[in-house]
Amino acid sequence: MSSEEISSSHSLVDSTLTRRGALGVGLGGIALFSAACSGGGGSSGAPSGGGPVPPTAQSELELLLARATYGHDAATHARAVDLGYEAWLEEQLSPDTIADGACDALLAAFPTLTLSSKQNYDQYYAQGNAARIALELRAATMLRAAFSKRQLFERVVEFWSDHFNVDQSDSLQNVLKTQDDRDVVRAHALGKFPDLLRASARGAAMSFYLGNYRNTATAPNENYGREIMELHSLGVGNYSESDVKAVARCFTGWSFQQTNSPAFGAFQFDPARHDDSAKVVLGHAIPAGGGVNDGEIVLDLLVNHPATAQFLARKMCRWFLSYEPSTSLVDAVAAAYTQTGGDIKAMLRVVLAKSSMTWALTQPAKMKRPFHLAASILRSTPFTITDATSLSTELGRMGHETFLWPSPNGYPDSSSAWGLGMLMRWTFASRLFAGDVAGVAFDPASVFANVPAVELARRADVILSGSRLSPTEVVAIQAYVDGAGGVDAALQRDVMALAASSPSFQTY
Amino acid sequence: MTHDRIDTHTTSSNVGEPADPSRRRFLVRSGLAAAATATAAASLPRVASGQAVGPLHRDVLVVLYLRGGMDGLTLCVPHGESELYARRPLTAIPPPGQPNGAVNLDGFFGLAPSAAGLLAPYQTGELLFVHACGSTDPSRSHFDAQKFMEAGTPNQPSLPTTTGWVGRYLSTATPISSGPLRAVSLDYLVPRGFAGGPKTLPIADPDTFTMPGASASVARRRETLQAMYGGESFPLGPAASSTFSTVQLLDAIDFAGYVPQNGAVYPTTQLGQRMRNVAALIKANVGIECLSVDMEGWDHHVNLGPIHGTMAGMMTNLSQSLHAFWKDMGLGIRRVVVVAMSEFGRRVAENGNQGLDHGHGGLMLVMGGGILGGRVLTDWPGLSPSQLDNGDLRVTIDYRDVLSEILSRRMGATNVATVFPNYTPVHRGVTA
């Protein structure tokens, strides 16, 4: 499913997810733990599409936190309230200024992350252990989402990881994706889109995934030529079939170092395999004899095309704001792209502006994808994680194992795609809090010590969501507590799992 | 196995008849034979299972989507076309009689050797190939082609694609039972073709589709979840509601202990195991009307491997899975239609990587007791350059013709105009 398809689909479905009550407004109006975070002039606009009115409006800051992070944690809330809307957003847009030592320490368990492709090839792939490289990258991706203080950066990384999807199911791709994640996606996630697209085009992972390394003058292969236009830049409908063939010819000879040398995985252009005849791409004549420059001209044409600005702007608004972004907002984000030469931060400043959140407050909530759900549980609640690799298997049981979507369009971002699989989410929450996930331990005392029985549900709500569960949900969970014979650790685990299984916790 | 579980082994025994030669029907081109088959199928009693059965006797529909653009010219090779060998010097399946040659079907078409598992249902007249078939939408993009095909709206980009053709069929057809589950996707997500359908859930593995956690507290935890989800609107509320009922339904079925009938052996592949679960779900007879199975990976731009390579392995997997399902169902196949389709076929001429780029016309496989199989149904357009559509096999049979006929003739549908808007289907003689 392409993002274009997603953006036009399921308006009825998507419009009926309701957003939850504001932080600090809990059961019976009792102000709870983060009451200071509420307020700030939340919108009272009704949701579009005829869905139920959200029970309580949120503030722009609350919505920004929900959309720019992987979920509630007390420290991030405190920081945002302390800095205020614009300053917190600016801090998040400069991730290098945010110390992230605790997360870095967790990642130290994964040596493959920082190795070159040559090193990973020699030390793992050639030893028959390529799976370890993939396992480390997946575990690291989850840990970063859950625990990095650079939350917006991680949300953007996930966005681009789907946009430039690379399926890791081939074992050589286990080597190349680590390089792609580090040197393409993360290196340019908040940089300039033209640099990101160029890095992807020159990267080994995409070349291998879409077969461009085999695309030669005598053996043209259209796969990359098509997807770079359809999925990476213009969007479908903005090019012709003859453009696909011409772009494929422009990228003939674009490959990567496949010999076992220190440069393994680096970009390589092979003039002998390049189709050096003249081409016409998007109405633009490319003269014969251009060599590697043919591909560069195509990249320039794509990044400077207004359709690319629109395509990226819509997809980004969809990711952060609403399944049905308003045309005026999309246009404003596209204008930011055009005016800044594709500066991703400039686009995000429009997408995440306070005025955008004022509009988004009137819109239905979005559905957390399983990866997001897992990250939001992990970052809200104290867990002792001794081995994060098992989380990858758990994500697989929800159909969302990182870097394993087979098609180049990336995992879908829609409630219609993810909204029917409730049982797998409940099962994940249950297993996680019950201690059934190896290497991820939960101690109920870390949350419930000295909390009276009548407060268990509210305590779980505070911890997990900063009190975003609806009163109905809190009452239902407390009724579960009240109906038990007594409070023990098993019951406390159930309470957390039920809160994480609530409808409110599936949305953001 | 607890005492109240439905034992699918014994339940299915009355449909599990060995696939014996007496079932073979060589008269597939004869109207008389077709009429006889239809009568036999119509009079077959529903599988007894202790469950109430609705008044409508319909085939169960299994939609097998082959994602990525399956090359029909390899699986069902037109070995009578010399053009094929001119345009695919390295990748065409050789004619029958040559080393690694096709298994002859009708003198013009043949099966790739790795797809030979399909021969048995073909020979009993229960498997039909529909060639030069597919979506007439001109898109060569996987995602657009899939979107329009599964939405049932080729060439109509202005129509909404929020619901799928199966979803619309189900939402406007009378349910065959009052059960909680009308359609299942044997996967983590529900595909676009099933979108918008009532009582439709993704169930990747029916055996583990059960409430998590300790059994002592499961009833009260379910009540808690029901209280939380009860007021939710679509999709969460209805999805949760279907989930609770479906858990109860499936808890009563022993999937792990399911024993395929007639000596059927499913491949251990994901597809094989999903087809095994499809059989178990159908035999449990709990009111499921439509099932979806996806098979990814048909996008063979590089190293097609039609004999010993990638595509050969996938064709082996596909054919063995379908063969096992057919064998396992026994006489029950008379109440089932399996339709396998892909978003497009692949270009006639091979590329320089011994692979095939995106094309147009493709191949559908239709299997079932009520299918007029044992032949290759086609309005063959030819493979010479002037006969192609931008270098690709033309689509001369619209996939909607095939599906409409199945819906009308095998499932009693009266809502085909809703399923495929603005299209007047032509019945091509797919059903008996």
Side-chain angles (χ1 to χ4, degrees), chain B residues 85-102:
Chain B
Y85 297 97
R87 299 169 80 79
R88 294 188 174 184
L90 299 174
T91 57
I93 301 282
Q98 295 191 14
N100 298 313

Side-chain angles (χ1 to χ4, degrees), chain B residues 81-413:
Chain B
E81 272 273 5
S82 59
E83 283 285 344
L84 179 75
Y85 297 97
R87 299 169 80 79
R88 294 188 174 184
L90 299 174
T91 57
I93 301 282
Q98 295 191 14
N100 298 313
V103 179
N104 191 34
L105 291 176
D106 63 1
F108 185 81
F109 292 103
L111 278 179
S114 58
L118 298 174
L119 199 59
Y122 179 85
Q123 288 176 334
T124 61
E126 287 159 317
L127 174 63
L128 174 73
F129 297 100
V130 190
H131 224 317
C133 176
S135 167
T136 54
D137 197 273
S139 177
R140 264 65 164 175
S141 144
H142 295 296
F143 317 110
D144 252 26
Q146 289 180 20
K147 174 172 73 175
F148 294 124
M149 193 176 190
E150 294 186 88
T153 60
N155 302 305
Q156 302 175 83
S158 60
L159 286 187
T161 52
T162 49
T163 57
W165 68 275
V166 177
R168 284 195 304 278
Y169 162 73
L170 286 170
S171 58
T172 53
T174 312
I176 62 167
S177 81
S178 59
L181 190 62
R182 296 185 63 190
V184 176
S185 165
L186 276 290
D187 213 324
Y188 300 101
L189 301 176
V190 171
R192 172 175 296 282
F194 283 57
K199 297 182 177 178
T200 299
L201 287 179
I203 303 178
D205 178 6
D207 188 45
T208 58
F209 199 82
T210 188
M211 289 293 290
S215 55
S217 60
V218 69
R220 293 205 317 111
R221 281 184 289 110
R222 184 172 55 235
E223 283 168 20
T224 307
L225 289 166
Q226 282 171 325
M228 291 198 288
Y229 279 85
E232 288 293 313
S233 49
F234 193 83
L236 297 190
S241 174
S242 292
T243 300
F244 298 125
S245 316
T246 299
V247 165
Q248 281 192 310
L249 188 73
L250 300 189
D251 274 351
I253 302 170
D254 178 20
F255 289 98
Y258 173 74
V259 180
Q261 299 294 286
N262 311 318
V265 178
Y266 288 92
T268 57
T269 58
Q270 184 182 69
L271 177 68
Q273 294 307 298
R274 285 181 173 171
M275 289 308 296
R276 170 190 177 276
N277 283 327
V278 167
L281 283 166
I282 291 173
K283 289 184 187 180
N285 198 23
V286 290
I288 298 169
E289 298 169 60
C290 302
L291 300 100
S292 164
V293 178
D294 269 16
M295 184 180 184
E296 300 270 357
W298 295 92
D299 194 19
H300 297 123
H301 288 274
V302 172
N303 290 340
L304 182 71
I307 309 288
H308 301 296
T310 308
M311 187 166 173
M314 293 181 66
M315 289 189 292
T316 300
N317 184 7
L318 174 66
S319 59
Q320 289 183 353
S321 297
L322 286 175
H323 181 101
F325 176 80
W326 166 78
K327 205 169 178 182
D328 183 12
M329 290 307 296
L331 279 181
I333 200 73
R334 294 181 181 182
R335 280 295 175 201
V336 174
V337 178
V338 182
V339 186
M341 64 182 118
S342 192
E343 64 264 32
F344 44 62
R346 305 193 78 79
R347 188 153 306 159
V348 173
E350 65 193 18
N351 66 25
N353 298 157
Q354 299 186 35
L356 303 167
D357 290 323
H358 299 181
H360 193 49
L363 176 74
M364 283 177 81
L365 285 68
V366 189
M367 187 169 79
I371 296 304
L372 197 49
R375 63 201 176 117
V376 181
L377 173 64
T378 188
D379 176 6
W380 188 246
L383 295 182
S384 64
S386 65
Q387 294 168 320
L388 301 181
D389 174 345
N390 289 310
D392 304 330
L393 182 65
R394 284 167 56 205
V395 172
T396 52
I397 296 181
D398 192 302
Y399 80 107
R400 290 172 290 186
D401 292 348
V402 177
L403 298 178
S404 295
E405 186 175 341
I406 291 166
L407 290 174
S408 300
R409 299 284 305 278
R410 299 301 308 171
M411 300 169 74

Side-chain angles (χ1 to χ4, degrees), chain A residues 26 34 89 257 454 464:
Chain A
S34 349
L89 177 57
Q257 283 277 352
V454 294
L464 271 170

